[in-house]
């Protein structure tokens, strides 16, 4: 797969530069190869394939494509580069890291935008079950118990969702308009 059109943005370039900065810190002696890999990535010379490999254009001839797979590359520099870290491997790695960083940013933005509350129960470490509402935040589930205790963040495994609050409140209004829950279930009204 090539870099999706939506990722050919300033945000993607920033993510590539951030990944390159991390690589330069970790592999200080390989700055030239990292920067050459960055140029290949910025110019769209990396195609990530569904099988986990990458096709990476040569920096000197766009008609030549090298294959990066399982920590190897079929370019001439692979055998000379420290631990085989050639510019093509760096280019593929930078694109993967940039895509991963943008996906994480999108995930956190979606969580921040989701303001739905849910009825839920929470089992604390002592095994006591509390009832209340939860809200999904980037830091995890924020649980607010009906017992008036302080809100707290709880683990996914400790929360059992019971329904979206807005939906349940809407249903309650509908039930009351029709004579209550008993009337809805049995068909009898007062």
């Amino acid at each position: 797969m090539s870099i999706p059109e939506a990722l050919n943005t300033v945000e993607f370039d920033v993510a590539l530069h951030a990944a390159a900065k991390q690589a330069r810190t970790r592999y200080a002696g390989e700055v030239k190869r990292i920067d050459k890999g960055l140029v290949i990535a910025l110019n769209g010379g990396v195609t990530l394939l569904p099988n986990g490999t990458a096709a990476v254009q040569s920096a000197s001839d766009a008609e030549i494509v090298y294959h990066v797979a399982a920590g190897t590359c079929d370019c001439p520099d692979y055998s000379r580069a420290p631990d085989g870290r050639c510019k093509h491997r760096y280019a593929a790695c930078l694109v993967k890291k940039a895509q991963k960083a943008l996906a994480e940013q999108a995930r956190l933005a979606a969580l921040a935008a989701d303001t739905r509350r849910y009825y839920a129960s929470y089992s604390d470490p002592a095994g006591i079950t509390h009832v209340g509402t939860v809200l999904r935040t980037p830091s995890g589930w924020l649980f607010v118990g009906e017992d008036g205790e302080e809100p707290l963040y709880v683990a996914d495994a400790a929360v059992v969702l019971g329904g979206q609050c807005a939906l349940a409140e809407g249903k309650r209004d509908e039930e009351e308009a029709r004579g209550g829950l008993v009337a809805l279930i049995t068909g009898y009204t007062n």
Side-chain angles (χ1 to χ4, degrees), residues 5 10 42 68 76 90 94-95 106 121 136 168 172 175 179 181 189:
E5 191 64 35
V10 172
L42 288 168
V68 175
Y90 277 120
L94 295 174
V95 167
S121 60
R136 186 65 148 153
R172 184 177 41 217
E175 291 164 5
L181 183 59
T189 58

Side-chain angles (χ1 to χ4, degrees), residues 134-171:
V134 289
L135 171 68
R136 186 65 148 153
T137 72
S139 301
W141 289 109
L142 179 62
F143 180 83
V144 180
E146 290 180 348
D147 54 12
E149 293 182 24
E150 287 293 313
L152 62 130
Y153 286 98
V154 297
D156 289 348
V159 174
V160 177
L161 298 180
Q164 190 178 346
C165 291
L167 294 177
E169 289 165 1
K171 281 289 189 193

Side-chain angles (χ1 to χ4, degrees), residues 22-32 34 83 85 90:
Q22 288 176 335
R24 283 188 214 101
T25 301
R26 184 168 181 186
Y27 303 104
E30 300 176 44
V31 171
K32 285 180 80 173
I34 293 166
D83 294 323
R85 290 187 299 267
Y90 277 120

Side-chain angles (χ1 to χ4, degrees), residues 79-143:
S79 61
R80 295 186 298 268
D83 294 323
R85 290 187 299 267
C86 63
K87 62 187 165 197
H88 309 102
R89 284 186 59 205
Y90 277 120
C93 181
L94 295 174
V95 167
K96 287 178 185 178
K97 287 195 176 288
Q99 285 185 345
K100 185 177 179 182
L102 289 177
E104 180 63 10
Q105 285 176 6
R107 185 187 74 79
L108 292 175
L111 283 175
D114 184 3
T115 58
R116 294 174 293 183
R117 294 177 301 135
Y118 298 89
Y119 288 112
S121 60
Y122 156 65
S123 297
D124 66 21
I128 300 170
T129 300
H130 305 270
V131 178
T133 58
V134 289
L135 171 68
R136 186 65 148 153
T137 72
S139 301
W141 289 109
L142 179 62
F143 180 83

